Amino acid sequence: MAQHFSLAACDVVGFDLDHTLCRYNLPESAVLIYNSFAQFLVKEKGYDKELLTVTPEDWDFCCKGLALDMEDGNFIKLADNGTVLRASHGTKMMAPEALAEEYGGKEWKYFMSDTGMACRSGKYYFYDNYFDLPGALLCARVVDSLTKQNNGQKTFDFWKDIVAGIQHNYKMSAFKENCGIYFPEIKRDPGRYLHTCPESVKKWLRQLKNAGKILLLITSSHSDYCRLLCEYILGNDFTDLFAIVITNALKPGFFSHLPSQRPFWTLENDEEQEALPSLDKPGWYSQGNAVHLYELLKKMTGKSEPKVVYFGDSMHSDIFPARHYSNWETVLILEELRGDRDGKPEESEPLEKKGKYENYPWITNFQGSLQAVQKQLATIQTLHRSYQILRH
């Protein structure tokens, strides 16, 4: 990853939407996401009703970078050499002795030392963004519940029910059909869950466009939900800002897949209509691939190698694939670096963490010392190697 680049030298500026241009009110949105899954599991799949009750302390389990082994119900945190730094069975942290017995300082079973990444497998799931984190807590509590009910159950098969919950709540037609509880609630009260874009950000976007930059919006959210978010955070004229809007992009596959594997689709009334053999003009599209997009950008800029920068919040879906497969410059949006909370200024380098259970601890725990976070970012290239496990 380049250490420095000039935004002024970039011809194209692209943005992710969720947790990048669109900031969520995390304490509210986390609960909503958790409940969308928990209610489905309890009502439709017969899971324990205890899943519906969450205490503030329960949220302390959530942190970015956890991997769930779907078979044994363990959550692990990896070092960059593939060894397991710490682990829990469900929400129950493993003692050092149990950790040594289970993993013994060896590389994790899905880690390949010759490539420095995990092998492709459908047997684990990696949690690296705020939308996924409530699911990590839910799955951990499912493991706790099943272990208790079945006298120390050792292997698990609940992931199929999680997938069913995703399909029920977040399938492409869910927004229009008001399925589940997530989309109906967002539509009912968007101000409870979303932050509008500051005027300074809107002004900056207009300045970029006026300076001749091509602005892109590339999101894995579906078209109708994308439209609701953008209208709320940017205003009804948001389409004037972006030359190209790509929804249901299914990142990271948008960057890694060949055009034949992932064509662009036209949209009518937010529904996919026709697969396109190539991308010939700006507009609003669904799915697609970075190869065909780049060919269009060449035509629009009149350059053989237009320079693209992409802003996103996910190492898995945004930063690594955009850089690795498309050679775009990338900017990681890290919510944890915000210098204020609840609109109140905060010391740039607080002497100690805020209260562990103040508001929702899994958010406040991330704040900590800005200096400590900057130190973590200084080692981003080392961390980058471990995040390459996300190529599955």
Side-chain angles (χ1 to χ4, degrees):
M1 298 174 71
Q3 294 298 309
H4 305 283
F5 73 92
S6 169
L7 186 62
C10 294
D11 306 293
V12 183
V13 184
F15 298 91
D16 175 41
L17 180 57
D18 298 277
H19 301 290
T20 299
L21 278 181
C22 178
R23 286 186 58 235
Y24 285 76
N25 181 10
L26 294 175
E28 295 289 349
S29 63
V31 173
L32 179 60
I33 293 166
Y34 179 94
N35 286 338
S36 72
F37 286 101
Q39 289 192 24
F40 176 82
L41 292 183
V42 172
K43 294 179 180 179
E44 303 298 328
K45 299 295 181 178
Y47 282 75
D48 197 308
K49 291 182 179 180
E50 288 186 1
L51 292 177
L52 300 176
T53 304
V54 187
T55 68
E57 290 81 2
D58 289 332
W59 289 103
D60 198 34
F61 177 80
C62 296
C63 75
K64 291 180 179 178
L66 294 177
L68 165 63
D69 188 318
M70 300 174 191
E71 292 183 325
D72 61 24
N74 289 348
F75 286 81
I76 65 169
K77 191 81 167 178
L78 288 177
D80 63 352
N81 62 2
T83 57
V84 177
L85 292 173
R86 56 184 182 272
S88 68
H89 183 70
T91 65
K92 314 302 181 186
M93 292 300 298
M94 289 187 180
E97 298 78 11
L99 184 67
E101 181 179 352
E102 182 76 19
Y103 298 105
K106 303 186 296 292
E107 291 177 353
W108 187 42
K109 58 187 175 182
Y110 296 119
F111 190 85
M112 299 182 295
S113 57
D114 57 336
T115 62
M117 62 187 69
C119 63
R120 296 173 183 269
S121 174
K123 296 183 178 180
Y124 68 91
Y125 189 85
F126 199 90
Y127 297 89
D128 86 318
N129 63 69
Y130 284 121
F131 195 87
D132 279 348
L133 286 181
L137 175 61
L138 177 72
C139 288
R141 298 188 73 210
V142 166
V143 171
D144 291 346
S145 177
L146 293 177
T147 301
K148 180 180 178 180
Q149 290 175 16
N150 300 312
N151 299 317
Q153 181 174 336
K154 299 297 183 182
T155 59
F156 299 87
D157 188 31
F158 62 85
W159 189 253
K160 65 181 185 301
D161 296 328
I162 300 297
V163 172
I166 295 173
Q167 178 67 10
H168 175 70
N169 285 282
Y170 303 100
K171 61 185 177 181
M172 185 175 291
S173 61
F175 185 93
K176 183 173 292 186
E177 296 172 358
N178 279 326
C179 291
I181 68 171
Y182 181 82
F183 289 128
E185 180 62 16
I186 292 287
K187 287 193 280 187
R188 185 189 69 81
D189 190 5
R192 180 176 178 181
Y193 303 100
L194 309 173
H195 293 293
T196 57
C197 261
E199 285 302 320
S200 58
V201 173
K202 298 178 187 178
K203 180 180 178 180
W204 177 61
L205 293 175
R206 289 192 292 268
Q207 289 174 336
L208 289 173
K209 182 179 179 180
N210 293 338
K213 310 297 182 186
I214 296 173
L215 299 190
L216 311 175
L217 186 62
I218 307 175
T219 174
S220 291
S221 289
H222 295 143
S223 180
D224 43 15
Y225 185 52
C226 169
R227 193 180 302 277
L228 179 147
L229 295 181
C230 288
E231 288 180 350
Y232 184 81
I233 69 170
L234 292 170
N236 292 335
D237 60 348
F238 76 93
T239 53
D240 295 341
L241 292 171
F242 301 101
I244 301 171
V245 176
I246 301 168
T247 60
N248 195 27
L250 302 173
K251 297 174 293 180
F254 178 85
F255 298 103
S256 62
H257 285 193
L258 298 173
S260 59
Q261 297 173 296
R262 191 68 63 75
F264 281 94
W265 287 74
T266 61
L267 287 163
E268 184 176 328
N269 297 323
D270 295 318
E271 294 184 358
E272 293 180 349
Q273 299 295 314
E274 178 185 1
L276 300 174
S278 62
L279 195 62
D280 299 323
K281 60 182 180 180
W284 189 303
Y285 299 96
S286 184
Q287 298 196 47
N289 60 87
V291 174
H292 279 169
L293 172 61
Y294 197 65
E295 291 300 315
L296 175 60
L297 295 176
K298 290 179 183 179
K299 296 177 184 177
M300 294 175 67
T301 60
K303 297 183 178 181
S304 59
E305 294 184 352
K307 192 174 182 65
V308 184
V309 60
Y310 187 64
F311 290 73
D313 71 297
S314 171
M315 287 293 294
H316 174 206
S317 300
D318 302 317
I319 304 306
F320 172 72
R323 183 63 182 173
H324 181 79
Y325 296 107
S326 300
N327 199 33
W328 293 359
E329 299 291 358
T330 53
V331 178
L332 177 65
I333 302 300
L334 196 62
E335 177 106 7
E336 293 86 338
L337 285 178
R338 282 185 58 80
D340 64 272
R341 191 172 62 219
D342 299 329
K344 299 177 182 178
E346 191 175 62
E347 308 93 346
S348 60
E349 296 185 9
L351 297 178
E352 59 183 3
K353 280 187 179 181
K354 301 299 180 182
K356 188 173 184 183
Y357 299 122
E358 185 178 330
N359 200 0
Y360 277 87
W362 68 282
I363 297 168
T364 58
N365 282 353
F366 281 137
Q367 300 293 336
S369 166
L370 179 61
Q371 185 178 23
V373 178
Q374 289 172 329
K375 183 177 179 181
Q376 292 177 355
L377 292 180
T379 63
I380 189 66
Q381 289 194 338
T382 301
L383 293 173
H384 188 63
R385 181 168 173 254
S386 65
Y387 274 109
Q388 290 177 346
I389 69 172
L390 302 171
R391 294 176 64 188
H392 68 91

